[in-house]
Amino acid sequence: MQTLEIAKFWIQSWLSPRRLLQRKYEAFKVLLEYDSQALELVADLEELFYGRRLLDRSHAVCMYRQLSLAVAGMVGELEKMHPGKFKNLYDEYLRINEQAARSVESAEVTSEPPFTIPLAAAGDFPHLSGGKAANLGRVHALGYTEALPGFVVTANAFHAFVEHNNLRSKIESRLCRMEVGNISVLSAMSLELQELFLSGEVPPGVVADIEIGLSTYLDGAELLAVRSSALAEDSEISFAGQYASELNVNRSDVLEAYKRVLAGKYCPRAISYRISNGLTDNDTTMAALIVPMIDARSSGVIYSMDPDCMSRDSVGIYGVSGLGASLVDGSVVPVKGSLSRGKNPRLVSECAFDRSALPDEKMLIRLAKCALNLEEQFGCPQDMEWAVDSEGQFHILQTRPLQQGKEKETVHGLIAAMPIVEGLERAAGGAGCGEIYFASTGAEISRIPEGAIVVTPTLKPSLLSFAAKMNGVIASAGSRASHFSSVAREMGIPVLVGEVSAHLEQGQLVTVDGMAGAIYAGCVKDVLTRSSLDVHISPRILELYSKMVEPLVHLNLVDPQGDNFNPAGCRSFHDLVRYCHEMSVQEMFSLVDKRGLGMRCSKRLQTELPLVVYLIDLDRGFESAAGRKKEISPADISSVPMHAFWKGLTDERITWPEDMVHMDWEEFDRMSAGFLSKDSKILASYGIISEDYLHLLIRFGYHFSEIDSLCGDVSTQNYVKFRFKGGGAGFDNRILRLEFISRVLIHYGFETETRGDMLDAFSSRMDHDSTAKQLAVLGYLMAVTRMMDMRLNSSDDVARELEAFISAVEGVYV
């Protein structure tokens, strides 16, 4: 097939060159469409890979597929432009595409049993049980009788649910559209995903195993809790408050509660949090923990390492009466007790607290010892949820690594400024500067501006979706024990608790000091550890995409003149895009040679300039009425780039000699000894035009100029490629003229390269008007420099001519 295409190409080049020009042009235009698509995708992927945009990894896979198709399209169209010339290019595309496909592969998942495992064994199977259940399983294995009984519905059961309900493609199609910060899309897509799970059916095999688990491990429990236990939950990334837990569930409602827990995986704040931490959808596969419901007299959390009222490390116990839901959702201010760290913890006498909301001293000491023992066993400070039931029994509900965030990185020295407010409770350390923004309602929260200091009544979980925008948070109620505070510490966002509304105004510029519990007017440099423009990028994001960078977006072909600028030198899709674009422009740049091949159907351009110019229209380059004319005038031309160039070339300030026809004098002398007609196409200038395309070879005596340009509405496709060569004066004079031309073109945004007496210049990816202005300047430049080599003798002459040229051009073409 390729041999046939090559044969057709060469036959057309001799027998039907006009059709060959049309074919090249059509392929070129399609290639440029693919080029625009590819470069947009490369830019989007770079923003994703380097943490400038926070998108789901599925989005990267979707963009890879689109990029692969665009690059394959470019390769195919380049081959059409010159069959056989780029014969190895498609093989290089296949090689790079195979590497790219491997880089975006997801880890395999299984939907096979086991669908449930006992909670006591969960610590040995974290890939099945998820973080929360695995940690409780380890507590069981360590011999703690306070750990709740129960069982886990595994991550495999989640995948079985997805397969049974044919949800895989539906999930991916929605994740492909999600971006952190795009609240409307995020909310709409997450709602659709949750509805898919809520309307789905639990697979029969999973149902059977859940029923067995209920009868085996929870036979006497009347009310149950069905809790989330995603794979990445409660690890070094807490996922505090991101997922749903179902409380007070009747045994007959367990399956519906289980589906609600699965659906909770796709709530907007959980998706935003996951993406912001560089985790994939499969990284957070949802398992569920089913345990008995505790009739709690008091409950809360313990931080095994927490500052006390004197800012010393202690065991901090936060508690409320009854269930601890109001504590962790930030809606109430809990009671805090502080105990010393060590083998025999004791109450810190300086820190008074309301004993009515906390257990007695004996129980507090027992809780503190338990937290310290778990810290030793787990190897890091612990954040432990606890409950004391109506009979006075202590239960461990959950334990996870304590998120201490970036507080240790802050160096707190003497502050010269006086605070507006001080003595506030410190829920998350660090510091930030920004303008005050009051956010009391959901609508106000959704409009939080970038870099704001948010003042809010409580530390609501809804704030989590907008955490990346905040430089600080001040809440009237809440505590370190809230889920938002836990996430804020991971992200380095300072959070203070206390009533401050009377001291602050909307738009006021302040600094929040999360270490000292103070607020200052203005941006206090001594306090700040991060500016309002800084964005914390999780290292996991860079790691997540590290393998994709090289085959997809890394650019190795930086120099078209380099030894590696060939198909074999391409190492990425970006390289292929660069190579195909460069080669396609070169193919168009060489459309017409000195023989004028393909110009037999051209029309002579009537002009007052002493030039013989023939033009051929590829697509709407002429006005419709010009089709019947043998010769055309400039008024018959509708080509945008030709109009722009011709405007400069015919500037009324230019004087043209009436007795001299500018043609290829060298060829005229060589071939005819003066007997050929000066109107001969062999000696003339040539142009190929369309509505937005121009290829023009102008012969000015003993030198020529060649212009190839696309000037349309798509700025990423626009370019101007220019070549100037030769001259009638001595070599030194010709070089001085090239120096002048080069300096002019550089001044107006071109890149130039000079070799001998030839200059090449290139400009690309500018908007329609800017490209047209460059073409007009180029036309004026060609007119001005016709005989310039005859009068240039030094660099001083070049500088003088340059100043005069720029003065003449400014205000007319620029």
Side-chain angles (χ1 to χ4, degrees):
M1 183 64 71
Q2 188 179 51
T3 303
L4 179 61
E5 288 297 315
I6 294 172
K8 286 172 61 179
F9 175 81
W10 289 111
I11 292 171
Q12 274 191 336
S13 68
W14 288 99
L15 301 182
S16 182
R18 170 68 173 80
R19 175 62 191 133
L20 181 62
L21 293 178
Q22 188 73 37
R23 174 179 169 175
K24 274 197 170 186
Y25 172 74
E26 291 171 355
F28 179 59
K29 293 287 288 189
V30 175
L31 184 147
L32 290 180
E33 290 289 340
Y34 282 126
D35 177 74
S36 293
Q37 295 173 25
L39 288 176
E40 287 289 334
L41 288 163
V42 167
D44 288 344
L45 284 166
E46 286 175 335
E47 287 190 329
L48 172 61
F49 293 169
Y50 303 130
R52 301 296 181 263
R53 292 179 70 191
L54 297 175
L55 307 171
D56 189 88
R57 188 180 184 276
S58 295
H59 206 132
V61 177
C62 293
M63 287 194 288
Y64 147 69
R65 292 169 181 161
Q66 295 171 35
L67 179 59
S68 179
L69 290 174
V71 173
M74 292 185 73
V75 171
E77 296 304 319
L78 183 60
E79 178 64 22
K80 289 179 184 177
M81 293 180 73
H82 198 140
K85 184 175 180 179
F86 307 100
K87 58 185 178 181
N88 296 325
L89 190 58
Y90 190 70
D91 290 338
E92 298 302 328
Y93 160 76
L94 292 176
R95 174 182 59 79
I96 294 170
N97 189 52
E98 183 179 353
Q99 182 185 357
R102 289 197 301 269
S103 75
V104 302
E105 286 179 349
S106 298
E108 290 187 8
V109 298
T110 178
S111 56
E112 300 298 319
F115 295 138
T116 62
I117 57 174
L119 179 55
D124 295 328
F125 303 97
H127 62 291
L128 294 175
S129 58
K132 186 179 296 179
N135 287 344
L136 276 178
R138 290 182 62 186
V139 173
H140 268 282
L142 291 170
Y144 285 86
T145 58
E146 298 88 350
L148 290 175
F151 67 99
V152 181
V153 187
T154 66
N156 288 14
F158 173 88
H159 293 302
F161 187 99
V162 169
E163 296 299 327
H164 181 74
N165 292 281
N166 298 313
L167 299 183
R168 187 70 61 194
S169 62
K170 296 175 183 178
I171 293 172
E172 290 180 358
S173 67
R174 287 159 176 82
L175 292 179
C176 276
R177 299 176 57 186
M178 291 191 179
E179 178 176 3
V180 175
N182 190 336
I183 303 304
S184 59
V185 173
L186 193 67
S187 298
M189 293 300 99
S190 61
L191 181 60
E192 290 181 14
L193 285 170
Q194 290 181 77
E195 288 176 348
L196 289 174
F197 278 85
L198 293 175
S199 61
E201 178 187 58
V202 181
V206 177
V207 172
D209 283 3
I210 289 177
E211 290 175 349
I212 292 172
L214 290 172
S215 61
T216 303
Y217 305 106
L218 299 169
D219 188 33
E222 295 182 4
L223 292 178
L224 305 170
V226 183
R227 307 188 67 189
S228 67
S229 184
L231 294 193
E233 191 175 1
D234 286 357
S235 58
E236 69 274 13
I237 307 172
S238 70
F239 278 87
Q242 304 300 319
Y243 298 128
S245 286
E246 298 292 317
L247 305 180
N248 295 309
V249 177
N250 291 313
R251 297 174 73 90
S252 60
D253 296 329
V254 164
L255 295 182
E256 289 302 312
Y258 171 63
K259 290 200 296 182
R260 289 194 293 272
V261 168
L262 297 189
K265 179 182 189 303
Y266 295 105
C267 73
R269 65 174 182 266
I271 294 173
S272 295
Y273 184 87
R274 170 178 66 76
I275 293 173
S276 299
N277 281 282
L279 296 172
T280 70
D281 189 50
N282 285 341
D283 288 337
T284 56
T285 299
M286 183 62 72
L289 173 62
I290 302 180
V291 294
M293 194 69 206
I294 302 300
D295 180 16
R297 185 169 66 194
S298 60
S299 56
V301 297
I302 304 174
Y303 294 157
S304 64
M305 183 177 289
D306 192 41
D308 65 15
C309 62
M310 305 295 289
S311 296
R312 300 168 301 199
D313 280 342
S314 67
V315 178
I317 302 180
Y318 297 79
V320 295
S321 298
L323 290 174
S326 59
L327 166 63
V328 296
D329 69 13
S331 61
V332 300
V333 177
V335 173
K336 178 187 176 182
S338 294
L339 292 90
S340 61
R341 288 170 54 83
K343 289 186 178 181
N344 297 301
R346 58 177 179 80
L347 288 172
V348 178
S349 59
E350 299 92 339
C351 301
F353 61 94
D354 180 4
R355 293 178 177 271
S356 64
L358 286 177
D360 59 26
E361 182 175 347
K362 182 178 179 181
M363 179 58 74
L364 289 176
I365 292 173
R366 183 180 173 189
L367 289 170
K369 285 184 176 180
C370 182
L372 290 169
N373 288 337
L374 289 176
E375 176 183 310
E376 182 179 356
Q377 297 290 339
F378 280 82
C380 63
Q382 292 294 293
D383 169 356
M384 186 186 85
E385 288 188 18
W386 57 271
V388 176
D389 64 24
S390 56
E391 297 179 0
Q393 296 298 312
F394 156 45
H395 302 278
I396 300 174
L397 307 181
Q398 177 179 335
T399 191
R400 61 187 171 207
L402 176 63
Q403 301 296 328
Q404 299 180 81
K406 301 178 179 294
E407 295 171 335
K408 298 297 183 181
E409 300 174 11
T410 303
V411 178
H412 187 67
L414 295 175
I415 306 299
M418 292 296 294
I420 302 172
V421 184
E422 58 184 334
L424 300 173
E425 181 180 346
R426 298 165 292 135
C433 177
E435 294 183 355
I436 291 293
Y437 177 83
F438 288 92
S440 301
T441 67
E444 290 170 338
I445 289 172
S446 68
R447 294 192 294 267
I448 291 173
E450 193 76 28
I453 301 296
V454 177
V455 179
T456 184
T458 64
L459 297 174
K460 302 174 184 178
S462 56
L463 291 167
L464 294 167
S465 296
F466 306 90
K469 288 188 172 185
M470 305 173 192
N471 278 3
V473 178
I474 308 166
S476 300
S479 72
R480 283 177 56 85
S482 68
H483 290 313
F484 179 83
S485 296
S486 182
V487 172
R489 287 192 291 275
E490 294 178 29
M491 299 179 69
I493 302 170
V495 179
L496 300 179
V497 177
E499 186 52 59
V500 297
S501 299
H503 304 278
L504 303 172
E505 296 178 358
Q506 184 88 351
Q508 181 181 356
L509 186 66
V510 301
T511 296
V512 175
D513 187 346
M515 291 300 296
I519 303 171
Y520 297 85
C523 286
V524 182
K525 292 183 179 179
D526 293 335
V527 174
L528 294 174
T529 57
R530 62 193 292 266
S531 76
S532 61
L533 297 178
D534 284 339
V535 178
H536 174 64
I537 301 172
S538 169
R540 297 181 190 85
I541 292 176
L542 304 181
E543 176 61 27
L544 177 63
Y545 298 118
S546 60
K547 293 181 180 179
M548 300 184 197
V549 172
E550 182 62 34
L552 294 181
V553 302
H554 185 69
L555 185 62
N556 303 280
L557 301 188
V558 294
D559 181 10
Q561 306 302 321
D563 293 339
N564 69 329
F565 205 90
N566 52 54
C570 294
R571 293 287 180 266
S572 69
F573 280 156
H574 199 171
D575 288 337
L576 288 171
V577 171
R578 176 76 192 278
Y579 179 80
C580 288
H581 185 273
E582 182 72 22
M583 292 300 105
S584 67
V585 172
Q586 288 189 22
E587 283 295 310
M588 297 304 290
F589 197 61
S590 60
L591 277 180
V592 180
D593 60 14
K594 282 196 171 187
R595 297 172 297 165
L597 203 61
M599 301 301 293
R600 285 183 297 182
C601 299
S602 61
K603 296 179 184 293
R604 171 85 179 263
L605 177 64
Q606 295 173 338
T607 173
E608 295 180 358
L609 300 186
L611 286 170
V612 180
V613 181
Y614 290 89
L615 297 176
I616 191 167
D617 179 22
L618 293 178
D619 181 25
R620 293 178 292 179
F622 295 158
E623 297 290 346
S624 56
R628 298 185 297 272
K629 299 179 180 180
K630 292 183 179 180
E631 294 187 349
I632 61 170
S633 71
D636 293 314
I637 296 173
S638 57
S639 170
V640 172
M642 182 64 183
H643 260 304
F645 177 79
W646 199 253
K647 178 182 178 182
L649 190 68
T650 58
D651 190 290
E652 60 184 10
R653 293 170 292 177
I654 305 297
T655 301
W656 295 80
E658 297 181 1
D659 59 347
M660 180 186 296
V661 177
H662 287 279
M663 59 178 185
D664 191 339
W665 293 336
E666 183 179 3
E667 191 73 4
F668 179 77
D669 294 340
R670 186 180 68 82
M671 295 187 62
S672 67
F675 290 103
L676 270 180
S677 167
K678 293 181 180 179
D679 291 342
S680 169
K681 288 187 178 181
I682 296 176
L683 308 175
S685 299
Y686 296 106
I688 300 171
I689 63 176
S690 76
E691 183 179 25
D692 58 1
Y693 177 69
L694 166 66
H695 182 95
L696 188 62
L697 174 66
I698 297 186
R699 290 163 172 167
F700 286 112
Y702 292 101
H703 74 271
F704 72 89
S705 299
E706 194 168 2
I707 302 102
D708 195 84
S709 176
L710 195 74
C711 180
D713 294 331
V714 183
S715 59
T716 55
Q717 297 180 4
N718 292 338
Y719 71 90
V720 180
K721 187 173 177 64
F722 171 69
R723 175 170 289 171
F724 186 101
K725 181 171 173 40
F731 183 77
D732 290 344
N733 299 80
R734 301 202 302 272
I735 294 303
L736 287 171
R737 177 165 62 178
L738 288 188
E739 180 185 344
F740 167 77
I741 293 173
S742 177
R743 290 176 66 178
V744 167
L745 293 177
I746 291 172
H747 181 81
Y748 290 108
F750 286 82
E751 298 177 13
T752 68
E753 180 183 2
T754 302
R755 289 168 290 167
D757 68 347
M758 183 173 73
L759 176 142
D760 283 303
F762 189 66
S763 174
S764 65
R765 308 191 190 284
M766 300 179 72
D767 62 34
H768 174 282
D769 291 346
S770 299
T771 304
K773 288 175 182 177
Q774 284 190 326
L775 287 164
V777 170
L778 200 53
Y780 186 71
L781 180 65
M782 293 303 90
V784 167
T785 56
R786 291 187 326 276
M787 307 295 289
M788 183 180 281
D789 56 336
M790 300 294 186
R791 64 177 187 268
L792 291 178
N793 296 298
S794 69
S795 294
D796 290 340
D797 292 340
V798 171
R800 188 165 49 253
E801 292 282 357
L802 178 65
E803 183 179 356
F805 182 90
I806 293 174
S807 177
V809 167
E810 297 298 318
V812 179
Y813 301 115
V814 180

